[in-house]
């Protein structure tokens, strides 16, 4: 199980540590060559504008788009959720929207850093709440057909799945709780 | 579904933003136009200040927190996080920055210190703080005061990377030594570092600072960024190095690409071409003021 972690910028090392703990082989992806060898991909939190530019400059934007179209399992957290969505509000006009999950998301929709927060979330399929860490997090403003909402906060979706794509507005890699990564790997590699 | 209770200003949320900045470049800007150039070049955050360190060094006088209007202008110009500096110990400046919604506060030796004995009690704030350090003891004292991110100080406004390298090597070298010490020796390490014992014990166990470690002070080229990242910095601050160079926009982007691809010399070489003249550097022996000496 070779799982790529997009390592252009952001919390990629934290994701790598969780994946390794769960027995996967984590590979840092900064080039199209590194992408070619992975069986699943994680797009971490970070600054989505910066990551978007580095996706273009590194030549990764098109190959990632092609792999996603072929059904590559992908987990996106925070900035990763933004980049994987269909439409980005309050972003930059040139920002990459990979469209792997049919959502409209608003960048920094909960506000600035002073509004960043922690909250316990009820997650479909998990028996205990998951501790969500939200940092300048995106708000989902539209959910397309075929998107399954797995957790909400005050009615707003914060964890969504569409086919092989799983996206979170929060940071499971900071929570010291591997259940969301485990769920992602289980689906990616056993089709469970 | 019932309303979910939210907690703000926690240690995890404050340190978490620094996690998101890793692998990125934070750029000093003095105007909204510069902030836009920085964002267009891929900066992960901008640092708003009224003069870049090279000008503070040249013009002298007391350097203070920026005007709130100027910071508001920069906040309005970009979508990335906005940081701003306060004088060491000047908690009232920090209160102002928190009230206008700055994303990160830098209690910085680049400004003229306001208190010759005390740093700000950073636990009292919901906005996270970054502080500079020249060695491990200084870093741990700042963390004990509530800093959520440490930057090695370097010597700001010089375009000379030597001090950044010295401070980074000092901090990381002592962390490596602490991890090799036995439990009895840790008491002595705490004494020598003038740092709280529990933090020293934590480092012995984890092998790293409890908060991210970035690098600042004197970086001017893509190669400088690659150098400090290879030495162990987790992101870089670039101050005068961008807007005091001949052509800031391409240099800013090149430093961003070099920071991401710091281990790939072919990419660092490619992005280093055609950037024009870097800022003029200064020799340490020629400096009247060592900014890194400020802070206690």
């Amino acid at each position: 199980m070779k799982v790529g972690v997009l390592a252009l910028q952001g919390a990629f090392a934290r994701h790598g540590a969780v994946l390794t703990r769960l027995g996967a082989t984590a590979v840092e992806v900064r080039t199209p060559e590194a992408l070619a060898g992975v069986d699943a991909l994680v797009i971490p939190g970070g600054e989505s504008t910066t990551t978007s530019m580095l996706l273009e400059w590194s030549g990764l934007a098109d190959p990632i788009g092609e792999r996603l179209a072929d059904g590559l399992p992908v987990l996106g957290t925070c900035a990763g959720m933004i980049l994987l969505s269909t439409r980005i509000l309050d972003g930059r006009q040139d920002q990459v929207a990979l469209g792997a999950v049919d959502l409209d998301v608003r960048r920094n929709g909960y506000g600035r850093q002073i509004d960043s927060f922690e909250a316990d979330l009820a997650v479909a399929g998990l028996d205990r709440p998951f501790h969500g860490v939200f940092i300048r997090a995106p708000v989902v403003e539209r959910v397309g057909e075929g998107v399954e909402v797995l957790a909400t906060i005050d009615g707003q979706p914060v964890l969504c799945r569409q086919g092989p794509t799983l996206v979170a507005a929060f940071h499971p890699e900071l929570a010291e709780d591997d259940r969301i990564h485990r769920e992602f790997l289980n689906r990616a590699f056993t089709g469970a | 579904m019932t309303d979910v209770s939210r907690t703000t200003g926690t240690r995890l949320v404050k340190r978490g933003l620094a996690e998101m900045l890793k692998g990125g470049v934070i750029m000093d800007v003095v105007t909204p136009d510069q902030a836009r150039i920085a964002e267009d070049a891929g900066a992960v955050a901008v640092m708003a200040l009224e003069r870049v360190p090279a000008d503070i060094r040249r013009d002298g006088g007391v350097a203070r927190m920026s005007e709130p209007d100027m910071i508001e202008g920069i906040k309005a110009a970009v979508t990335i996080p906005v940081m701003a500096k306060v004088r060491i110990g000047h908690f009232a400046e920090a209160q102002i920055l928190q009230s206008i919604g700055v994303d990160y506060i830098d209690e910085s030796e680049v400004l003229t210190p306001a208190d010759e004995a005390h740093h700000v009690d950073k636990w009292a704030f919901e906005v996270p703080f970054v502080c500079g350090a020249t060695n491990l003891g200084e870093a741990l004292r700042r963390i004990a005061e509530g800093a959520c991110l440490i930057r090695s100080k370097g010597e700001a406004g010089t375009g000379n990377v030597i001090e950044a390298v010295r401070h980074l090597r000092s901090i990381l070298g002592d962390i490596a030594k602490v991890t090799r010490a036995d439990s009895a020796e840790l008491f002595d390490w705490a004494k020598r570092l003038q740092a709280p014992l529990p933090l020293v014990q934590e480092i012995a166990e984890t092998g790293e600072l409890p908060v991210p470690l970035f690098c600042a002070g004197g970086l001017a080229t893509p190669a400088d960024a690659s150098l400090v990242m290879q030495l162990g910095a987790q992101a870089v601050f670039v101050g005068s190095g961008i807007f005091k160079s001949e052509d800031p926009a391409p240099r800013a982007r090149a430093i961003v690409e070099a920071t991401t691809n710091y281990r790939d010399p072919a990419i660092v070489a490619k992005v280093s071409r055609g950037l024009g003249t870097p800022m003029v550097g200064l020799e340490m022996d020629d400096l009247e003021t060592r900014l890194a000496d400020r802070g206690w």
Side-chain angles (χ1 to χ4, degrees):
Chain A
M1 294 196 288
K2 230 169 140 184
V3 182
V5 182
L6 189 67
L8 298 173
Q9 190 272 311
F12 54 87
R14 289 297 195 99
H15 279 286
V18 180
L19 295 168
T20 304
R21 207 153 58 221
L22 291 173
T25 306
V27 184
E28 293 189 355
V29 173
R30 294 185 177 83
T31 59
E33 296 73 44
L35 176 72
V38 306
D39 308 307
L41 183 68
V42 175
I43 303 186
E47 266 313 304
S48 64
T49 53
T50 305
T51 305
S52 172
M53 288 177 214
L54 287 164
L55 277 173
E56 303 271 15
W57 300 341
S58 63
L60 269 167
D62 290 341
I64 286 182
E66 287 161 20
R67 291 293 307 270
L68 292 173
D70 288 344
L72 180 74
V74 60
L75 168 65
T77 58
C78 196
M81 175 194 238
I82 295 170
L83 292 162
L84 286 164
S85 294
T86 315
R87 189 155 164 253
I88 303 165
L89 309 165
D90 288 349
R92 291 169 54 89
Q93 298 215 323
D94 56 0
Q95 201 162 346
V96 173
L98 293 163
V101 55
D102 189 16
L103 300 175
D104 290 359
V105 297
R106 187 172 297 281
R107 280 183 68 217
N108 306 330
Y110 291 98
R112 304 192 71 92
Q113 172 61 16
I114 191 101
D115 305 304
S116 293
F117 62 96
E118 298 179 38
D120 283 326
L121 306 168
V123 175
L126 296 184
D127 52 357
R128 284 175 291 112
F130 194 95
H131 193 64
V133 183
F134 294 78
I135 297 170
R136 289 171 49 95
V139 166
V140 173
E141 299 209 342
R142 184 192 61 83
V143 179
E145 271 182 50
V147 177
E148 199 181 344
V149 175
L150 303 174
T152 60
I153 190 162
D154 300 341
Q156 281 161 328
V158 293
L159 182 67
C160 298
R161 179 162 54 214
Q162 184 170 22
T165 304
L166 181 64
V167 290
F170 53 95
H171 292 281
E173 79 281 7
L174 298 182
E176 296 189 10
D177 181 340
D178 297 346
R179 287 178 295 162
I180 286 175
H181 287 83
R182 188 187 301 274
E183 161 73 11
F184 170 65
L185 292 178
N186 282 345
R187 282 201 169 239
F189 294 105
T190 66
Chain B
M1 183 166 284
T2 51
D3 279 2
V4 176
S5 89
R6 307 180 189 186
T7 324
T8 57
T10 62
R11 183 189 295 218
L12 194 52
V13 155
K14 286 156 76 174
R15 293 183 179 180
L17 180 56
E19 293 289 334
M20 300 310 136
L21 302 174
K22 281 184 178 175
V25 182
I26 299 146
M27 302 181 191
D28 277 2
V29 298
V30 302
T31 64
D33 280 344
Q34 287 188 353
R36 274 183 219 106
I37 291 170
E39 186 179 66
D40 289 345
V44 290
V46 290
M47 175 74 73
L49 68 174
E50 68 184 349
R51 291 180 282 167
V52 293
D55 290 337
I56 293 172
R57 196 175 279 290
R58 190 194 61 206
D59 300 338
V62 173
R64 310 179 180 91
M65 179 191 80
S66 303
E67 288 281 324
D69 281 347
M70 193 278 258
I71 296 169
E72 293 285 4
I74 287 171
K75 275 171 59 197
V78 294
T79 65
I80 55 179
V82 175
M83 304 185 172
K85 289 183 191 289
V86 300
R87 288 177 267 180
I88 289 172
H90 207 315
F91 55 85
E93 285 185 346
Q95 289 162 349
I96 291 170
L97 291 185
Q98 173 161 284
S99 80
I100 63 177
V102 158
D103 296 298
Y104 236 97
I105 298 173
D106 185 0
E107 186 180 20
S108 177
E109 71 284 357
V110 169
L111 306 185
T112 310
D115 189 320
E116 62 182 1
H118 309 94
H119 283 248
V120 172
D121 171 10
K122 293 164 274 286
W123 296 112
F125 289 80
E126 292 214 348
V127 169
F129 275 71
V130 50
C131 287
T134 59
N135 57 53
L136 182 56
E138 201 175 354
L140 294 182
R141 288 193 292 280
R142 298 295 84 79
I143 293 167
E145 293 156 3
C148 297
L149 169 61
I150 295 295
R151 55 174 172 76
S152 55
K153 281 181 180 172
E155 192 57 33
T158 61
N160 188 338
V161 80
I162 186 170
E163 295 298 298
V165 168
R166 185 202 312 277
H167 300 154
L168 204 51
R169 281 196 185 275
S170 171
I171 293 167
L172 292 167
D174 275 353
I175 288 174
K177 286 181 204 154
V178 166
T179 58
R180 290 195 296 269
D182 68 30
S183 57
E185 290 170 325
L186 294 180
F187 296 96
D188 185 50
W189 268 105
K191 205 162 49 185
R192 270 190 284 158
L193 293 172
Q194 298 177 58
L197 179 65
L199 286 177
V200 175
Q201 289 168 325
E202 186 179 341
I203 284 174
E205 198 165 313
T206 64
E208 58 183 11
L209 288 182
V211 304
L213 174 63
F214 295 0
C215 179
L219 281 64
T221 67
D224 288 347
S226 170
L227 172 68
V228 299
M229 291 293 287
Q230 289 188 62
L231 287 173
Q234 294 170 315
V236 300
F237 286 84
V238 184
S240 319
I242 290 172
F243 289 102
K244 285 290 166 188
S245 72
E246 183 186 353
D247 196 356
R251 179 167 297 271
R253 171 176 161 171
I255 292 174
V256 168
E257 290 191 84
T259 302
T260 290
N261 298 290
Y262 66 95
R263 276 184 294 221
D264 190 331
I267 294 180
V268 180
K270 190 180 89 183
V271 303
S272 297
R273 292 170 200 270
L275 298 181
T277 320
M279 74 177 281
V280 178
L282 296 170
E283 273 283 358
M284 291 306 129
D285 290 345
D286 298 336
L287 301 183
E288 282 179 22
T289 309
R290 293 277 194 130
L291 301 175
D293 292 343
R294 297 168 169 176
W296 10 92

